[in-house]
Amino acid sequence: MSSRPVPLLPPALRAFLVRIPLLVPIVRLLRRGPLARDRNLLITLILLTLAIGVLAARVSMEWFSPALMIPITLVAGLQLRLNSLVKLLCAVAASLIYVAAVRGVDYIGPGLLVTFGFTAVLAALMARTRGKLGVQGLRGDAMLLELRDRLKSQSDLPPLSKEWGSKVVLKQAGGSSFGGDFLVSIREGDTMELALVDVSGKGVDAGTRALLLSGTFGGLLGSVDDFLPACNTYLHRQREAEGFVTAVHLRLNLATGEYVITSAGHPPVVKYESGAGTWRVSTAKGVVLGVVPDLHCEADQGMLRKGDALMLYTDGLIEQPGRDIDAGLDRLLGEAERLVPSGFRDGARNLVTSMSAGHNDDCALILIWRP
């Protein structure tokens, strides 16, 4: 059921304005089309700018400084379209010229002109970016924050029973909120599945693709039997290659402790065996996702007993420029030995901090254990 639009002006006021022929076109212009809000704001800012110029020239430069037009320009950059912003900048220039003509050129110094020029360029860049996105104001930033929050919530492991413990640590390059490492997980009954994915690149450069793939991989997880081959098929269908993607998939039975690990070009999972007191490297391996049409993964099966643990991680923990990756893995296992006496939960973040010191890369670590 459609509703009639609410009139912007009361009927009595509209009837009065109709009797004034000069105001009728102006009222119609303000109410016409979907861009009425942009047009109304533009008119308001232009009138405010011209008023500041007149007051600065005729009344007082101290109370009505031309610098007051700077925040007006910034507001226009956040709210107006680029074409409307250009019209406002013309009004700003006209006001400055008028002040210089009345007060003298000395009142509009080079420093003020440079500030206005910088502000105008910044406002134009903001308006241009918003125009490409098709959003207004700070809505684009709000959408990006919402995507970040969704990615973070998706990286949380599902609740586990008291018989299990888990810890997830994600550290993005440069301290940014987005990165190329992400986690997707799901639990159905006693079966938990998770996938740790590493997109090539680091920081914000890889964050946009990670946002796209996290939704796709999250939808495939738990919906198909062969998770990594399904992900590989999706990536292989993409027409444009945007770097490689590695992933490791874990299917864990929470009732029995049985697990199956499959990997696609990802660093090997390591398992802590409490009986022997050592870390064992998983034999699961496979080709990087999206390279070959048919992916074949060599799975690794086993069982987690009391005191055992599994550690999944990305190459940011073991890869360093100028050093062999095997040396990085040996160092990781040496640092992991210190987790056992102090507990996995408290030492996981310290492990990531220690391993990532000295280089700037995305890092992710997942620990699952049976206390």
Side-chain angles (χ1 to χ4, degrees):
M1 180 178 180
S2 61
S3 59
R4 299 180 59 184
V6 179
L8 297 178
L9 298 175
L13 181 58
R14 282 186 294 153
F16 173 75
L17 293 177
V18 169
R19 299 176 184 178
I20 308 177
L22 182 62
L23 295 180
V24 172
I26 298 177
V27 174
R28 290 179 178 176
L29 179 65
L30 294 177
R31 300 179 62 232
R32 185 183 305 163
L35 301 178
R37 180 180 178 183
D38 181 87
R39 188 185 303 116
N40 296 344
L41 180 59
L42 172 62
I43 293 175
T44 302
L45 294 180
I46 288 179
L47 293 177
L48 187 59
T49 299
L50 296 177
I52 292 175
V54 172
L55 293 173
R58 297 296 180 180
V59 181
S60 172
M61 286 283 291
E62 295 179 357
W63 286 93
F64 305 99
S65 172
L68 294 174
M69 303 178 198
I70 294 177
I72 295 178
T73 306
L74 292 176
V75 171
L78 287 173
Q79 298 293 338
L80 294 180
R81 295 178 297 120
L82 185 58
N83 294 336
S84 300
L85 176 63
V86 172
K87 298 176 183 178
L88 177 67
L89 293 178
C90 293
V92 171
S95 297
L96 292 176
I97 294 174
Y98 180 73
V99 172
V102 176
R103 291 281 185 174
V105 182
D106 295 338
Y107 284 89
I108 306 296
L112 185 61
L113 293 178
V114 171
T115 304
F116 270 108
F118 177 80
T119 306
V121 172
L122 180 61
L125 292 176
M126 291 189 297
R128 182 183 179 185
T129 302
R130 289 189 303 99
K132 291 182 179 180
L133 293 175
V135 297
Q136 199 170 36
L138 298 176
R139 181 56 184 164
D141 295 336
M143 293 170 59
L144 197 60
L145 290 174
E146 185 177 351
L147 287 174
R148 181 205 63 183
D149 294 339
R150 288 180 179 270
L151 183 61
K152 284 187 174 181
S153 62
Q154 194 172 355
S155 297
D156 294 334
L157 288 177
L160 303 178
S161 61
K162 296 181 179 180
E163 299 178 356
W164 293 89
S166 64
K167 183 67 175 180
V168 178
V169 180
L170 296 176
K171 181 181 179 183
Q172 311 300 354
S176 64
S177 300
F178 298 92
D181 298 346
F182 66 91
L183 166 70
V184 290
S185 59
I186 188 176
R187 177 182 176 181
E188 294 182 355
D190 291 332
T191 301
M192 183 184 70
E193 293 187 55
L194 63 89
L196 182 60
V197 185
D198 184 4
V199 179
S200 60
K202 59 183 179 180
V204 181
D205 296 334
T208 53
R209 195 180 182 205
L211 285 171
L212 173 65
L213 294 182
S214 65
T216 304
F217 288 9
L220 292 174
L221 189 67
S223 302
V224 294
D225 294 332
D226 299 326
F227 172 73
L228 290 183
C231 296
N232 179 78
T233 302
Y234 168 78
L235 291 175
H236 195 266
R237 286 201 307 261
Q238 306 304 308
R239 297 181 179 179
E240 298 182 0
E242 300 182 6
F244 62 86
V245 178
T246 68
V248 60
H249 174 235
L250 169 66
R251 181 181 286 112
L252 176 63
N253 190 315
L254 299 175
T256 63
E258 297 178 348
Y259 65 85
V260 178
I261 299 173
T262 52
S263 176
H266 204 82
V269 179
V270 292
K271 174 187 177 183
Y272 176 73
E273 297 179 345
S274 59
T278 58
W279 292 88
R280 182 181 66 86
V281 179
S282 172
T283 58
K285 58 183 179 179
V287 183
V288 175
L289 294 176
V291 176
V292 295
D294 297 323
L295 180 67
H296 175 69
C297 299
E298 297 183 11
D300 181 21
Q301 301 181 7
M303 178 177 294
L304 285 179
R305 296 178 174 83
K306 296 293 184 179
D308 292 354
L310 285 176
M311 182 166 62
L312 297 77
Y313 55 94
T314 56
D315 58 4
L317 286 182
I318 60 176
E319 231 178 31
Q320 292 188 15
R323 298 186 60 179
D324 186 57
I325 193 171
D326 292 334
L329 179 58
D330 293 339
R331 179 168 173 255
L332 175 65
L333 296 180
E335 292 290 337
E337 289 289 343
R338 304 179 184 179
L339 293 179
V340 180
S342 60
F344 297 109
R345 186 181 303 277
D346 297 331
R349 184 166 295 277
N350 294 333
L351 175 62
V352 173
T353 303
S354 174
M355 292 298 299
S356 61
H359 67 284
N360 186 27
D361 199 357
D362 297 330
C363 301
L365 175 70
I366 303 173
L367 275 167
I368 300 176
W369 67 91
R370 300 189 73 173

